[in-house]
Amino acid sequence: MVIYFIFAVLLGVYQVEAKVLECKEKVADVVFVLDSSDSIWPTDFTKQLDFVKKVVNTFTIGPNNIQVGVVTFATRIKPNFQLNTYDDKKQLLTAINSIDRVDGGTNTGAAIQYVRQEMFKGKNGARKWAAKIVVLITDGFSQDTRKTLLEASIAHSYDIKVFAIGVGGGVDSQELDGIASEPTEQHIFRVENYKALNHIKHSFTGITCDIPVNDQAPNDKPGVGDPDDPKTTCGGKPTDVLFLLDSSSSIWAPDFQKQLEFVRQVVDKFDLGTNKTRVGVITFSDGVHPVIPLDSYKQSEFDAKLMKIPYLTGGTSTSAAIQFVRRVGFAGDKSRPEVARVAIVITDGQSRNLFETVEESRKAHKEGIYVFAVGVGRDVDDEEMMSIASDPDENFVFRVDDYNGLAKIEKLLAVKTCGVQVNHVVLSDQPVCRINHLTDLVFVMDSSILGHDHTQIASKTIAKITSQFPSQIDINTGIVKEKCPDDGYLDLNSYHRTNWFINRLRTDDEAGLSPLLHHVRRHSFRTSNGARRDSEKIAVIFVDSELLKKDAAVLEARRLKFQNVKIYTIAIGATYSDRTLTELSSYPDDHYVIRFPSYEVMLQENRKITDRICQGH
């Protein structure tokens, strides 16, 4: 479910305060785009900054809450600071107050373009799981209306929510309509002058969210009790919580201790007891180690057990840890069916097997287990974090720069953990699937042809696709891709004659898709390899160029189709023939061929693939 913040109409002071409390733990990247052209007097520019400060002052600022960036524009565009420049509200307000006015025209289109291309980049603090919001304030016509409307339209297509504030009588109403997101009545504000911005302040401080963090439990009432106290927010309802702690070689021993202290602080905020919250801890590296079984503990008893947990070394078997949680951690007599089950995964690197991790996470979500993903440091893969976490990502993904940063999210994680509901699985954004409830799905790509970077994007796309199928579909997934041959190295003494060496090079051509499809046909759909006898069988092929040994590949595809395997072809770019795609794919090709202009677009629009498969034929 796509979550974004709506700047609501004026509801009154009491209602505004209630809304602020509701959204205290929400996540958004907000960029203010401020007109600084010649038409604005210096005193009015100051009033514009005052308005921004008053709005920002209502936000909870931080890397796991709301981040703010500011851009001013006239003829040229000036980024005043990025989303990740300030995580302290006091420093942020001081920075806003120090913004200088720049003279010139009203290059609104270029400003919107800059925000989309630069401000929402990951290196500038943008978070993939956070709502992206632009608040644009202007008092005149843009110097290029066509460019402005085009750039606004592109921004909307990137799921950037644009609020447009028009000041004075010099604003073009039609242009304002084109800039703002739909529905325009919720995204456009008009005021007579800059002083009147203060009149709509409460509309912005009444910022609220489409989807609450905890679906507002019956005992939770905004303004009652301390909203920052997890024990108050939980309303006394019980929860079972398992912490999954990365103990691989990438973590230094002192950082592992910081991880344990973080768990201690979070658990300290829970109301522990037999009929309240129960907790347990699992560590993982090469193997999985249930060091503290899920049970009811006194705080002192849990702390004593926690600080004795040994630091391990090895790989990062995240998938095995999540599988253990499903099969053992919450299983049998350990489970309380009447309470919510929560897994909190903390890691500082990428898992050993992305595909298996995504699959195990999908199964956990399907079984009603809420999963929070906490990523530490720069080596974490955001796409993997989002696949591990439950939906919506903005409620279940956390990122910190290092292990010291964990302390900043202790209370927030505790509040969100105790806020989940029993057996509440979000299904509204899942496609309606017409395929067999038993489906075996194999993805095929020739990595030697796609290249390393494109293979990585294709793998991330596959991870997204597999996480989107509805829970009623029992789907097994596999992947077949080309690996480097064992004889990829030729030593100096491998061939003693030049003609032997040349002949070896001539026979060392790339085999292409043919052997991969042959493997799918002969091995992938065998019951001994996990296939089900009564399942629907689907192969998805990635292609970005004209095939090597095309006839052999087409023959293998035809044999697969004779075995009742449906073949979808994902075509990226335009360096292939339509006839080749038709011959590879099942009929009709307008259903089984899915085209994307680039890998980036494919990753962004991955849902198109899931929807097409779910449509069946």
Side-chain angles (χ1 to χ4, degrees):
M1 298 192 304
V2 178
I3 180 170
Y4 68 92
F5 287 58
I6 300 177
F7 290 81
V9 294
L10 183 59
L11 298 177
V13 175
Y14 174 79
Q15 290 171 301
V16 166
E17 291 174 351
K19 294 299 182 184
V20 172
L21 289 176
E22 286 180 19
C23 290
K24 196 170 184 65
E25 286 80 39
K26 293 303 180 182
V27 181
D29 291 334
V30 182
V31 177
F32 288 89
V33 184
L34 310 180
D35 191 340
S36 182
S37 60
D38 291 335
S39 61
I40 300 176
W41 289 71
T43 53
D44 286 337
F45 186 75
T46 301
K47 292 172 185 174
Q48 189 176 196
L49 297 181
D50 289 340
F51 169 74
V52 174
K53 287 189 296 180
K54 289 174 181 176
V55 173
V56 169
N57 198 40
T58 67
F59 295 164
T60 300
I61 300 298
N64 287 288
N65 293 100
I66 296 176
Q67 297 184 145
V68 174
V70 176
V71 170
T72 50
F73 69 96
T75 302
R76 63 187 181 89
I77 313 303
K78 181 182 178 182
N80 294 274
F81 51 84
Q82 305 293 343
L83 291 163
N84 58 358
T85 304
Y86 300 103
D87 60 6
D88 176 80
K89 184 184 290 187
K90 185 176 180 180
Q91 293 178 353
L92 174 59
L93 294 173
T94 300
I96 295 171
N97 201 53
S98 302
I99 293 174
D100 294 325
R101 177 172 167 265
V102 292
D103 295 331
T106 310
N107 200 355
T108 314
I112 298 172
Q113 180 183 37
Y114 181 87
V115 170
R116 173 177 59 82
Q117 293 181 341
E118 299 297 331
M119 297 296 287
F120 287 124
K121 279 185 175 179
K123 69 177 183 179
N124 293 326
R127 299 157 295 179
K128 293 183 179 180
W129 56 91
K132 293 173 175 55
I133 298 173
V134 170
V135 181
L136 187 145
I137 307 176
T138 184
D139 72 347
F141 288 80
S142 66
Q143 62 191 44
D144 187 343
T145 300
R146 183 175 181 179
K147 179 179 177 62
T148 297
L149 297 180
L150 174 62
E151 288 300 331
S153 177
I154 295 173
H156 301 159
S157 71
Y158 276 74
D159 286 332
I160 299 172
K161 299 304 172 185
V162 184
F163 292 87
I165 301 177
V167 182
V171 178
D172 184 343
S173 296
Q174 289 186 336
E175 186 175 70
L176 218 58
D177 285 346
I179 292 173
S181 296
E182 296 285 348
T184 55
E185 61 269 18
Q186 294 180 0
H187 292 82
I188 292 178
F189 291 82
R190 294 294 302 266
V191 294
E192 295 179 1
N193 51 51
Y194 281 94
K195 185 177 180 180
L197 283 172
N198 196 51
H199 297 165
I200 65 169
K201 178 190 68 175
H202 288 298
S203 300
F204 282 76
T205 56
I207 189 171
T208 186
C209 316
D210 281 354
I211 306 168
V213 172
N214 58 7
D215 293 337
Q216 201 74 17
N219 292 333
D220 297 342
K221 298 179 181 179
V224 177
D226 179 3
D228 285 339
D229 182 2
K231 294 179 182 179
T232 299
T233 308
C234 285
K237 61 181 180 293
T239 307
D240 284 345
V241 183
L242 281 174
F243 291 87
L244 283 66
L245 309 183
D246 189 343
S247 187
S248 62
S249 299
S250 62
I251 301 175
W252 287 24
D255 286 335
F256 183 74
Q257 293 302 314
K258 293 174 185 176
Q259 192 175 192
L260 297 182
E261 176 61 20
F262 169 71
V263 173
R264 189 182 73 82
Q265 292 292 341
V266 172
V267 171
D268 184 56
K269 294 170 175 57
F270 294 151
D271 195 6
L272 301 182
T274 304
N275 297 314
K276 298 178 182 178
T277 298
R278 301 188 308 173
V279 293
V281 178
I282 296 166
T283 59
F284 63 94
S285 54
D286 288 327
V288 179
H289 309 272
V291 287
I292 302 180
L294 179 67
D295 207 340
S296 55
Y297 299 98
K298 293 181 179 179
Q299 185 69 49
S300 58
E301 181 185 5
F302 177 80
D303 290 351
K305 291 178 178 291
L306 180 70
M307 302 318 290
K308 292 180 181 179
I309 294 177
Y311 165 59
L312 309 172
T313 56
T316 310
S317 298
T318 315
S319 61
I322 298 172
Q323 183 185 73
F324 182 89
V325 167
R326 286 196 310 107
R327 293 183 174 179
V328 181
F330 289 126
D333 57 1
K334 299 181 182 66
S335 176
R336 293 186 292 176
E338 74 280 4
V339 307
R341 297 171 296 162
V342 177
I344 300 174
V345 181
I346 306 174
T347 183
D348 72 348
Q350 299 180 30
S351 65
R352 175 179 291 172
N353 189 313
L354 169 65
F355 192 72
E356 289 181 2
T357 299
V358 171
E359 180 66 11
E360 287 299 329
S361 300
R362 185 186 68 82
K363 290 177 180 178
H365 303 160
K366 177 181 174 181
E367 293 172 12
I369 299 171
Y370 284 93
V371 184
F372 289 90
V374 181
V376 183
R378 69 178 67 180
D379 293 330
V380 173
D381 185 334
D382 287 342
E383 296 290 342
E384 184 174 49
M385 288 290 98
M386 294 163 69
S387 296
I388 291 173
S390 298
D391 288 330
D393 294 325
E394 55 264 33
N395 284 350
F396 291 91
V397 176
F398 292 84
R399 284 297 306 272
V400 294
D401 293 333
D402 52 37
Y403 282 94
N404 291 324
L406 287 172
K408 298 179 180 179
I409 65 170
E410 291 165 358
K411 186 177 294 184
L412 181 58
L413 178 60
V415 169
K416 289 192 175 185
T417 298
C418 69
V420 299
Q421 301 296 301
V422 183
N423 294 327
H424 177 67
V425 181
V426 179
L427 296 174
S428 61
D429 67 335
Q430 295 179 331
V432 176
C433 254
R434 300 188 182 92
I435 58 176
N436 194 321
H437 74 282
L438 280 181
T439 298
D440 295 329
L441 174 63
V442 176
F443 296 92
V444 185
M445 55 181 166
D446 187 349
S447 303
S448 65
I449 299 299
L450 301 188
H452 176 268
D453 291 346
H454 289 163
T455 297
Q456 288 291 97
I457 295 176
S459 296
K460 291 179 179 179
T461 302
I462 291 171
K464 285 286 189 182
I465 294 168
T466 56
S467 68
Q468 292 166 352
F469 287 102
S471 57
Q472 66 266 25
I473 302 297
D474 185 359
I475 187 167
N476 277 353
T477 48
I479 187 167
V480 176
K481 58 183 178 180
E482 180 66 28
K483 294 184 178 180
C484 295
D486 295 334
D487 58 351
Y489 299 97
L490 299 181
D491 295 325
L492 292 171
N493 60 356
S494 295
Y495 295 93
H496 299 291
R497 294 185 181 181
T498 301
N499 62 324
W500 292 355
F501 179 74
I502 293 173
N503 287 336
R504 170 64 178 78
L505 294 180
R506 287 172 177 169
T507 58
D508 191 25
D509 59 347
E510 296 164 305
L513 276 176
S514 176
L516 303 182
L517 295 176
H518 178 82
H519 179 89
V520 173
R521 180 170 62 86
R522 297 294 300 271
H523 300 283
S524 295
F525 291 119
R526 285 185 174 180
T527 54
S528 59
N529 291 324
R532 281 78 56 90
R533 295 186 185 278
D534 298 327
S535 66
E536 182 169 353
K537 295 171 176 56
I538 299 174
V540 178
I541 305 172
F542 291 84
V543 174
D544 70 354
S545 59
E546 191 60 56
L547 300 183
L548 297 169
K549 296 190 174 181
K550 185 191 74 171
D551 292 342
V554 168
L555 178 60
E556 286 295 340
R558 187 174 297 131
R559 289 170 174 169
L560 267 175
K561 287 180 277 189
F562 285 155
Q563 294 179 357
N564 293 321
V565 176
K566 295 179 179 178
I567 300 180
Y568 288 84
T569 303
I570 312 301
I572 307 105
T575 57
Y576 43 74
S577 70
D578 290 340
R579 180 175 179 179
T580 299
L581 300 181
T582 300
E583 291 176 333
L584 277 180
S585 309
S586 295
Y587 179 82
D589 59 288
D590 61 349
H591 174 78
Y592 287 98
V593 176
I594 307 172
R595 304 171 189 268
F596 297 99
S598 68
Y599 279 90
E600 290 72 20
V601 172
M602 177 181 71
L603 180 59
Q604 181 184 354
E605 299 180 2
N606 60 84
R607 188 53 174 271
K608 180 178 178 182
I609 301 173
T610 311
D611 290 343
R612 188 71 63 85
I613 293 173
C614 273
Q615 288 173 12
H617 206 277

